[in-house]
Amino acid sequence: MVSATHDGFPAAVGAGRLRDKDGRLPRPSRRAVLAVAAIGLSTSLTGTLSACSAASGDTSGVTLRFSWWGNDDRAARTEKAIRLFEKEHPGVTVRTSNGEFGSYLQKLATQAAGGGVPDVVQLDYRQISQYAGGKAIMPLDGVIKNRTIRTSDMDKDFLRTGTYKGRQFALPMGRGITGYAYDSAVYKKAGIPTPRPSWTWQDWAKANKKIAALGLKSPDGRHFTGANDGGGNEDVFETWLRSRGKNLYADQTKLGFTEDDLTAFWSFLSTLREEGAIAQARDSVQAKSTETSPIGRRLAAADFTWDAPFPGYTALLGENIHFAPVPTTGGRQGTYFKPSMLLGIGSQSEHPKEAAQLIDFLLNDPRAGDILGFSRSTPPNREIAARVAKSLEGSEREIYDYSQTMEKYGLDIPPTAPPPGDLAIQTAFKRIHQRMIYGMATPREAARELIDEANRELES
């Protein structure tokens, strides 16, 4: 058993970290290095690193490094909150770095492979097991127990999303939920009722067929469909699975679904695509952002998405776009509250106590909550979420109300963080789906290929 220091950290990390027989600091394990390969890191890293913003602050006294991904608004709010933290912690300087999501993941993978994960680091849900298992981030149980980081105003079930093998390695910074962005004007024209929390996948299929039957045309004169094809999105498949009482993973080494489950999902969507009710293959593969999605290009009336990006839909397409629940199976919802992102501490940090203080400030200080707002979805601290919600308007108010509605409807508790191989499996899921929709494999053949590849990844 690893003993804890007075700061609540294991003795093997922080200022008192154990060194090897040659006096060197321990490096993350092979799993952390494999994170590089899992996200398709190429030799073009130099360019992606330069895409991140310049560091700020001086280097006197204690200097923390804090990195995150996000847009300009999130960056401005985060910088403002950090300046307030520095003001109240004389001698502590926070150097910041942020970038676009894809380049950020690549940069962080490089840092993990070299043992240089920042003191405070923003993490994606799918990175937790890989970085915790690879010892790139440190456990936080001690600083939570001694209340350096307070979690009393956060849901216990939600906190487990940052756990790995029973230990807390990261804390959610936002509570996100999947939903369905749709054009209410088109739905009204087709005579489709406003989607309710209990609407089903069969209701969804009928709605798409009704919209396709309207004979509407896109701006370039093409057939207008009911929705995007969500078949390449692992999140949509997970929602489908959970509405049937299953999960993506049974545990850290086994899938929670079968070839028949995935075949049924892809066959269901393939039928709708062949009938012209949902987006065609060439349009689905181009959907890399709101702007390039079928709904963003005005080729479809709806799209599966998360709550945090939803305001971008109304900004692009107008006030007729609203946020609705994802379909159910017989009334059972498959969606759940998921961390939009999490915060952790790099295992090589020389200042883990101050890093923990910064995390606590960002998550629990009401003034920081006012500054950060809903820039990372609903704050996980319930008191702060309720406080900030009073000032919300428009689409931000709509997604907050949506989360309250779904909580009252009843959702299953979230699973723990996905296994280390999830990033690679997610990439394979999208690639194999694209082969299938271009006719290079049947739904059954594609499902079998994915199952085989996923099992190899989980067993490696």
Side-chain angles (χ1 to χ4, degrees), residues 170-182:
L171 291 167
M173 202 177 184
R175 193 182 74 162
I177 185 171
T178 51
Y180 191 67
Y182 74 102

Side-chain angles (χ1 to χ4, degrees), residues 1 22 26 162 210 324 346 402 416 435:
M1 179 179 293
D22 298 319
K210 282 186 176 181
Y402 169 77
T416 57
R435 290 186 63 246

